[in-house]
Amino acid sequence: MSSRPTLLVLHTLSPEHLAQIGAGYEVAYAPTPAEGASAIAAQGARFQAVLTIGTVGLTADEMAAMPNLQLVCALGVGYENIDVAAARRRGIVVANGAGTNAACVADHAFGLTIGVIRQLRPLDQLCRAGGWRDSVAMPPNVSGKRMGVFGLGTIGLAIARRAAGFDMPVGYHNRQPRQDAAEHRYFDTLLGLAQWCDVLVCATPGGPGTRHAINAEVLQALGPRGYLINISRGSVVDTDALAQALRSGTIAGAGLDVYESEPRPPEQLIALDNVLLSPHLAGWSPEAVQATVDHFLRNADGFFAGTGVVTAVD
């Protein structure tokens, strides 16, 4: 019998990363919901640890079916669908990959920002159709715009640092001001932030507390020269309200890496030229994914060695 800890993986990993993890752990790989349910039902008593992601999570019932479970890790920063309270009641440690893909997500957020403000998608289509610049209105500058960050955590701070390179004043809304962010303007309401900024970037955690935080009222406050960028979770934005705002000119445009219907496309948005979409890969790059796997191993190795995880979820 192997002396390695037993690990259930509930998210897609490359063969190379599975091999890296498998060097130290006895791995059961179940990357689809059906495979995960089957593995837990058939082998639940085996598993000492689970590796998941925020959008997949781990429920209280799933934990209950794994009586020897000691550790649950989210591969990335998000853990909104892990039942942390249930884990805490069981004495199960929960850890995440805080900070591992922040640079990649922030890069992508700025790619969406530049792309939607400078209208790169319709301009690309114009060129391919043989058009020329005289036939379109000039897109505005990115530099100098006011950037509002909804959720100034690790990723939000990385976005703010990039904004500095574009001479963009930064404001933010959190539950409370950060003592280490005095150079940025704090807003105690999301509505106030939306009224102030030109570009509103969602970098907040998902979950019930932020569901549809970006609603018709916030979009109205953002205004006809405002842009919405979402690299957090699709649930943060009311898609129907956003579609109406984009169609009516209530806001100028949006760039989304996440949406409520994923992995299905957001049907209300796909015909609109003033929205730029990508399929929830802001945090995906070879460098970022490797960093998340390495960080998971630091969490898991520390836990099973008795020195503790690196980034525990409180």
Side-chain angles (χ1 to χ4, degrees):
M1 179 178 292
S2 172
S3 61
R4 296 176 296 171
T6 52
L7 170 70
L8 174 62
V9 175
L10 297 176
H11 175 57
T12 303
L13 292 174
S14 71
E16 294 78 13
H17 289 139
L18 280 172
Q20 181 183 355
I21 294 170
Y25 295 84
E26 193 71 31
V27 176
Y29 184 50
T32 69
E35 289 170 318
S38 177
I40 292 170
Q43 308 175 59
R46 287 185 57 222
F47 302 125
Q48 297 167 273
V50 167
L51 175 59
T52 184
I53 58 172
T55 54
V56 173
L58 196 71
T59 68
D61 288 343
E62 289 168 331
M63 294 180 201
M66 292 182 276
N68 294 307
L69 184 64
Q70 302 170 48
L71 173 68
V72 178
C73 287
L75 190 63
V77 63
Y79 56 89
E80 68 273 14
N81 288 322
I82 296 174
D83 193 328
V84 176
R88 188 176 292 118
R89 289 193 296 270
R90 280 268 307 275
I92 298 167
V93 173
V94 179
N96 71 347
T100 50
N101 62 359
C104 189
V105 176
D107 290 351
H108 200 88
F110 253 88
L112 290 171
T113 300
I114 295 168
V116 70
I117 294 177
R118 293 297 297 168
Q119 301 174 20
L120 297 186
R121 177 176 174 268
L123 290 177
D124 175 83
Q125 294 171 330
L126 174 73
C127 286
R128 292 174 190 273
W132 185 238
R133 64 187 186 188
D134 296 336
S135 63
V136 294
M138 291 183 289
N141 272 16
V142 177
S143 297
K145 296 277 188 290
R146 291 176 171 178
M147 175 165 280
V149 181
F150 176 28
L152 197 71
T154 302
I155 290 171
L157 284 170
I159 292 168
R161 287 195 296 272
R162 284 152 179 77
F166 286 80
D167 300 319
M168 302 176 81
V170 173
Y172 72 99
H173 170 64
N174 284 3
R175 283 174 292 185
Q176 55 190 351
R178 292 187 62 131
Q179 298 306 309
D180 59 352
E183 71 272 28
H184 305 312
R185 181 173 174 179
Y186 175 70
F187 290 83
D188 59 7
T189 67
L190 179 56
L191 192 64
L193 178 65
Q195 289 169 335
W196 173 83
C197 69
D198 302 301
V199 184
L200 179 58
V201 182
C202 299
T204 187
T210 57
R211 184 178 183 275
H212 287 188
I214 305 298
N215 55 24
E217 185 180 18
V218 170
L219 294 168
Q220 185 74 40
L222 186 56
R225 295 184 180 179
Y227 298 86
L228 176 72
I229 308 295
N230 189 10
I231 45 75
S232 57
R233 289 291 187 259
S235 59
V236 173
V237 176
D238 182 335
T239 309
D240 290 333
L242 175 60
Q244 176 59 31
L246 289 166
R247 284 194 300 264
S248 65
T250 298
I251 67 170
L256 308 177
D257 183 58
V258 290
Y259 30 89
E260 292 184 277
S261 60
E262 60 185 55
R264 294 177 293 104
E267 296 295 339
Q268 309 98 309
L269 305 177
I270 56 176
L272 302 176
D273 285 336
N274 56 346
V275 63
L276 186 60
L277 302 170
S278 60
H280 201 156
L281 51 65
W284 283 23
S285 68
E287 300 90 342
V289 174
Q290 185 63 59
T292 62
V293 172
D294 292 345
H295 190 87
F296 159 69
L297 287 172
R298 287 193 292 272
N299 272 325
D301 291 351
F303 177 82
F304 286 107
T307 57
V309 299
V310 179
T311 47
V313 171
D314 295 331

